[in-house]
Amino acid sequence: MKAVVARRGRLFIDDHRTDPVPGVGQVLVRTLACGICGSDLHALHHMHTMIELNARAGGKTTVDPEGEIVLGHEFCAEVLEHGPGTESRLKPGTRVVSVPYAAGPQGMELVGFSHRFPGGFGERMVLTEAMLLEVPNGLSSALAAMTEPFAVGAHAVSLARMDEHRVPLVMGCGPVGLAVIAALKSRGYGPIIACDFSPERRRIAEELGADVVLNPAQSSPFECWTSFDVPATLAEQSVAAQLGRKSKRPTIFECTGAPGVLSQMFKMAPPLTRIVVVGTCQTPESLEPGLAITKQLSLEFALAYSSDEFASVLADIAQGRINAAAALTSTVGLNEIPQAFESLRSPGAHAKIIVEPA
Ligand SMILES: [Zn+2]
């Protein structure tokens, strides 16, 4: 098969890569579409750090940072052939999506972050039959491939335990922030405040359902609360409580992953803010617990999604509750992946780039 291979910080095109072979319970598929994720960019240049972080978090990895990897975990594919021990539930030709996990001889591995399970930047993949979801009739492969990144937003919003008294602020409108906005909108929470430096991303945020979109270069997102009836101090909160009113409370989704943003939130967030961290900041950060206690801030960290969240996002996209097309800024072929990675390194112009190998 043809595939784009990542090795030691570089991408190269391999026209004659060995096709993966489906093992027990697995299905060989042909890649139809695959999104480029921020974590692909990170993996390309910082594979060592990723593996080391995963190990410190108690994870086990089978990835050799010096080895070759076919990246790509946000995919839609077509069933080609069933391996041994499968039920052949979905006929060849069926278009499918799947959470990017596969069981190998050494346990669970991530499709697209594995030497055994090449990802969607190659023409063929091997997926676990039990995890395949058929693409509902008519949904394009490119939009179906966006189930994965949008599922990240659905999970973050589940963790946030939203209700009608919560006012959400989404910091950063890259793919992660956009997914959070879409999930909030599809579940009817709002008004949704969003902010980003990029005009293009602010425009997409609006299309996905943000009600108020701020440019942080012009107005501080931390000063927007008064217009949404959020008490600025603990005293105001308790006055409201004494009057029997349930006052509004802020929920901030940190989707920038930029160094210093979280500590800034500790300083600037109103009391009783719930902060849900979805963007990954890769550097250590100094936080002031005393400040967080005084304001009774709460903090959640969101990673990935459950398979139920993944399935419901597929339905949300197919039935139009999530306008995934708004976040699709470009479609490229396999040959253009190295260039696409380059252009994603300076964020702002793009949200999601989808690779279509055919
Ligand atoms: Zn991803």
Side-chain angles (χ1 to χ4, degrees):
M1 67 167 176
K2 180 170 175 174
V4 174
V5 180
R7 183 159 189 247
R8 292 186 175 178
R10 291 191 50 237
L11 292 170
F12 64 92
I13 293 158
D14 184 349
D15 284 302
H16 306 287
R17 199 154 183 92
T18 317
D19 280 7
V21 178
V24 175
Q26 293 168 354
V27 176
L28 179 70
V29 300
R30 182 163 72 94
T31 312
L32 299 172
C34 184
I36 304 177
C37 175
S39 59
D40 295 322
L41 271 74
H42 188 69
L44 179 64
H45 297 286
H46 305 280
M47 191 63 88
H48 279 99
T49 3
M50 258 173 105
I51 292 172
E52 184 257 349
L53 181 68
N54 182 56
R56 277 197 287 132
K60 197 173 69 133
T61 185
T62 52
V63 175
D64 167 11
E66 300 293 312
E68 296 184 347
I69 286 191
V70 179
L71 295 164
H73 57 275
E74 306 176 351
F75 45 75
C76 171
E78 176 191 341
V79 172
L80 289 180
E81 193 184 305
H82 292 83
T86 47
E87 295 172 12
S88 301
R89 187 166 55 84
L90 298 165
K91 283 201 292 288
T94 308
R95 290 187 306 131
V96 293
V97 293
S98 165
V99 292
Y101 303 111
Q106 298 179 48
M108 270 305 188
E109 293 191 47
L110 271 170
V111 176
F113 286 112
S114 154
H115 303 301
R116 226 173 314 273
F117 296 101
F121 302 156
E123 291 173 325
R124 302 274 185 279
M125 295 180 287
V126 155
L127 303 176
T128 304
E129 184 186 41
M131 294 179 184
L132 300 181
L133 298 173
E134 184 170 358
V135 175
N137 203 17
L139 180 64
S140 78
S141 301
L143 296 186
M146 291 167 81
T147 303
E148 202 275 352
F150 276 106
V152 171
H155 179 61
V157 171
S158 301
L159 274 188
R161 306 187 299 284
M162 295 292 294
D163 61 33
E164 72 273 24
H165 302 290
R166 289 264 163 196
V167 180
L169 163 65
V170 181
M171 295 280 283
C173 301
V176 170
L178 294 174
V180 169
I181 292 167
L184 288 165
K185 189 70 184 176
S186 70
R187 298 180 198 186
Y189 298 122
I192 304 166
I193 312 159
C195 75
D196 198 287
F197 289 103
S198 151
E200 176 64 5
R201 288 181 167 184
R202 290 199 300 274
R203 186 190 62 73
I204 301 171
E206 255 177 343
E207 271 193 60
L208 280 166
D211 299 286
V212 178
V213 183
L214 304 172
N215 176 359
Q218 282 169 359
S219 53
S220 165
F222 297 110
E223 280 158 20
C224 66
W225 303 110
T226 42
S227 359
F228 296 96
D229 217 14
V230 173
T233 62
L234 272 176
E236 284 177 41
Q237 288 276 4
S238 68
V239 168
Q242 278 162 21
L243 294 172
R245 284 198 295 123
K246 180 138 171 105
S247 55
K248 298 277 187 188
R249 294 182 179 189
T251 297
I252 303 179
F253 293 89
E254 178 356 45
C255 303
T256 70
V261 170
L262 193 54
S263 52
Q264 178 79 351
M265 279 178 188
F266 271 43
K267 291 191 191 98
M268 304 298 285
L272 304 174
T273 295
R274 177 173 295 148
I275 300 170
V276 183
V277 182
V278 210
T280 317
C281 175
Q282 304 289 348
T283 51
E285 180 136 351
S286 158
L287 300 171
E288 198 181 342
L291 192 54
I293 284 184
T294 310
K295 296 189 190 183
Q296 286 208 80
L297 303 181
S298 62
L299 196 54
E300 296 273 357
F301 292 87
L303 172 73
Y305 37 75
S306 68
S307 34
D308 287 347
E309 284 160 348
F310 190 92
S312 69
V313 166
L314 175 62
D316 286 341
I317 294 175
Q319 292 164 26
R321 287 184 294 273
I322 288 180
N323 177 13
L328 173 53
T329 46
S330 168
T331 307
V332 301
L334 282 181
N335 290 339
E336 297 156 285
I337 289 181
Q339 215 180 317
F341 267 59
E342 255 334 287
S343 60
L344 285 169
R345 276 157 70 87
S346 46
H350 283 287
K352 187 56 71 181
I353 298 181
I354 294 283
V355 178
E356 290 182 333

